[in-house]
Amino acid sequence: MQRRVKQWRGLYGPPKEVYFPQIHKPGQLCESDFTNMGPLGVTIGGQPFEHLLYHFVLTYSNWETGNICYSESFASLSEGLQGALWKLGGVPRAHKTDKLSAAVQKPKCAEEFTSRYWALLNHYGMEGRKANASSPHENGDVEQSHYRLKDAIDQALMLRGNRDFSSSSEYGKFLDKVFEQLWASGAAGRGAEGAKASACKAPGELQAFDGKGGAQ
């Protein structure tokens, strides 16, 4: 009976969603997102430190970086994205995010992205891409990297012996060291992507976005 039901479903049941593997090329695409760091139990001066991490990933090499933030605001997105581009030393062709309200308009709006996010993308000469609302896997590189990164941070905290820091600045430096260790393991891939990204806009041409569509 079960075999017949299985055969019937295969012939007449609802179609299954098919996923095609994504093919990434150096310097073509970066993804970013925010992730909640609360489960790691970090404290500042003995007090719980509620915060998020802006997380940036190159999809070809999985080179990554990030910074502490406190909300999924446009200011956090702008600061995090620009900081990542400057660390990379170049600009990938496109930036992809999920349905962040700081970047993506509501479905009924005529424009795909918010005006400030458009201005940020245009300033750095990047294309904007977004994951479909029902397809979070489309932003899969950064989503999967969340788990690997937080596991690496958790391991580093255990090796450190405690999860308390004297200040958010000290904690930020600790995170930078974790990223440096991750960078070392992906140095070759990052170099290839950096060269491709620099062809789009070289390090010497990077100018900070002032939030008004101009450079600082």
Side-chain angles (χ1 to χ4, degrees):
M1 181 66 179
Q2 289 181 344
R3 184 185 302 172
R4 291 181 180 178
V5 170
K6 187 175 182 180
Q7 290 175 341
W8 184 90
R9 285 177 177 172
L11 292 171
Y12 307 108
K16 294 183 179 180
E17 189 171 4
V18 178
Y19 298 104
F20 294 96
Q22 299 182 53
I23 299 174
H24 298 297
K25 297 180 180 179
Q28 293 295 305
L29 181 64
C30 59
E31 295 180 358
S32 69
D33 196 7
F34 297 94
T35 186
N36 180 18
M37 301 293 281
L40 291 176
V42 172
T43 58
I44 303 294
Q47 299 299 314
F49 184 48
E50 298 297 330
H51 65 292
L52 305 174
L53 186 80
Y54 171 82
H55 192 191
F56 173 99
V57 176
L58 295 172
T59 60
Y60 174 75
S61 64
N62 285 327
W63 177 84
E64 57 195 315
T65 188
N67 61 276
I68 299 167
C69 58
Y70 304 97
S71 68
E72 296 187 8
S73 65
F74 176 77
S76 297
L77 173 62
S78 177
E79 178 184 356
L81 178 57
Q82 292 190 81
L85 296 177
W86 282 72
K87 286 179 182 177
L88 175 63
V91 180
R93 185 177 301 277
H95 173 250
K96 188 175 185 179
T97 184
D98 62 7
K99 303 290 285 186
L100 287 175
S101 60
V104 180
Q105 295 276 30
K106 294 180 179 179
K108 294 182 180 180
C109 294
E111 296 293 331
E112 186 174 21
F113 299 115
T114 64
S115 58
R116 289 191 296 176
Y117 181 58
W118 263 128
L120 176 61
L121 292 175
N122 289 336
H123 176 78
Y124 285 101
M126 286 193 294
E127 299 173 12
R129 300 181 188 176
K130 65 178 182 180
N132 292 319
S134 59
S135 305
H137 62 276
E138 292 182 356
N139 216 33
D141 282 78
V142 71
E143 291 285 350
Q144 288 298 318
S145 291
H146 285 339
Y147 301 106
R148 294 193 297 268
L149 174 62
K150 286 196 274 192
D151 183 62
I153 294 172
D154 189 44
Q155 293 292 324
L157 286 167
M158 286 191 284
L159 289 173
R160 183 175 180 268
N162 68 79
R163 296 167 186 264
D164 188 57
F165 296 85
S166 61
S167 65
S168 59
S169 177
E170 182 190 10
Y171 173 50
K173 291 177 181 177
F174 167 82
L175 291 177
D176 286 342
K177 289 183 179 179
V178 175
F179 279 118
E180 286 173 4
Q181 293 170 352
L182 295 172
W183 294 351
S185 63
R190 183 213 170 195
E193 291 220 75
K196 289 287 186 179
S198 295
C200 180
K201 184 170 286 190
E205 298 177 307
L206 292 178
Q207 292 180 304
F209 177 71
D210 64 5
K212 301 177 182 178
Q216 291 181 335

